[in-house]
Amino acid sequence: MTSPTSPPRPGLSIALDYGPLILFFLSYNFAPGPALARLLIATIMFMMAIVASMIASVVMTKRIPPVMLLTAVIVLVFGGLSLYFRDARFIQMKPTILYGVLAAVLAFGLLTGRPLLQMVLGQSFPGLTPLGWRKLTVNWIIFFVGLAIANEIVRLNFSETVWVYFKTWGVVPLALLFGAANLPMLFKHGLELNDPAPTPPEG
């Protein structure tokens, strides 16, 4: 079992972060009915899965990562609104809100000299210098803003089905590419990497 002070194993972290998204995608594709009904069913499954992920995180690591908790709150609020009003727009706006909040929080920390990203991910990036943390923070802010804009473009101009595929098969590869693209800079600034570096949340 992972100790309370150690980061979760990479495989466990990936399962907890991306498991709900995979279930969302599968539910949308295999549920019966029109696109809106399938999206609402997938939203229910997504909400249940993210709660299950938090419970599993507490059981296995004795903690809930801050980003997971923030994601869960936004998913439950906007997912609940979509279900109540039977309106896909609320759950579709969820990634925009999440990425916007994360970008704003990181930007606030950067402007006020608070190493918020280091406080959350310090154990995942051993040896990284203060300059490396600042550069990584700036990169994540830009990435989150870009994802928020991209989500709005897809949400406003394409169907629910296109949005679901973008959310799964667009954002996840972009997040993995983002993580890989940062590695040369991180190694240049002292990173001692034994396990794969964490990627941004799926949103």
Side-chain angles (χ1 to χ4, degrees), residues 92 149-160 162-163:
Q92 288 179 302
I149 293 172
N151 186 73
E152 284 302 288
I153 291 173
V154 175
R155 180 181 74 85
L156 294 172
N157 293 282
F158 298 93
S159 67
E160 288 98 340
V162 172
W163 177 80

Side-chain angles (χ1 to χ4, degrees), residues 17-161:
D17 289 339
Y18 290 99
L21 178 63
I22 294 172
L23 183 58
F24 175 84
F25 176 78
L26 293 175
S27 299
Y28 179 82
N29 278 277
F30 289 101
L36 176 59
R38 290 187 286 123
L39 186 57
L40 294 178
I41 291 171
T43 297
I44 294 172
M45 300 304 295
F46 193 27
M47 294 166 68
M48 294 172 60
I50 202 162
V51 170
S53 289
M54 288 193 297
I55 294 173
S57 182
V58 170
V59 171
M60 297 180 183
T61 70
K62 307 300 183 184
R63 61 188 289 271
I64 299 176
V67 174
M68 178 186 286
L69 180 60
L70 174 63
T71 302
V73 170
I74 295 176
V75 166
L76 294 175
V77 170
F78 282 83
L81 289 172
S82 274
L83 295 174
Y84 182 80
F85 291 104
R86 296 186 61 80
D87 191 331
R89 289 178 296 177
F90 292 103
I91 193 63
Q92 288 179 302
M93 287 190 295
K94 185 272 297 180
T96 302
I97 302 299
L98 174 62
Y99 296 135
V101 169
L102 290 173
V105 169
L106 291 179
F108 174 78
L110 198 65
L111 293 173
T112 58
R114 294 179 174 88
L116 299 179
L117 191 63
Q118 185 176 1
M119 292 168 59
V120 175
L121 297 177
Q123 292 178 317
S124 299
F125 294 91
L128 190 61
T129 65
L131 179 58
W133 279 111
R134 285 196 294 273
K135 288 186 175 182
L136 184 61
T137 299
V138 171
N139 289 350
W140 277 46
I141 292 171
I142 294 171
F143 184 71
F144 284 141
V145 170
L147 285 182
I149 293 172
N151 186 73
E152 284 302 288
I153 291 173
V154 175
R155 180 181 74 85
L156 294 172
N157 293 282
F158 298 93
S159 67
E160 288 98 340
T161 299

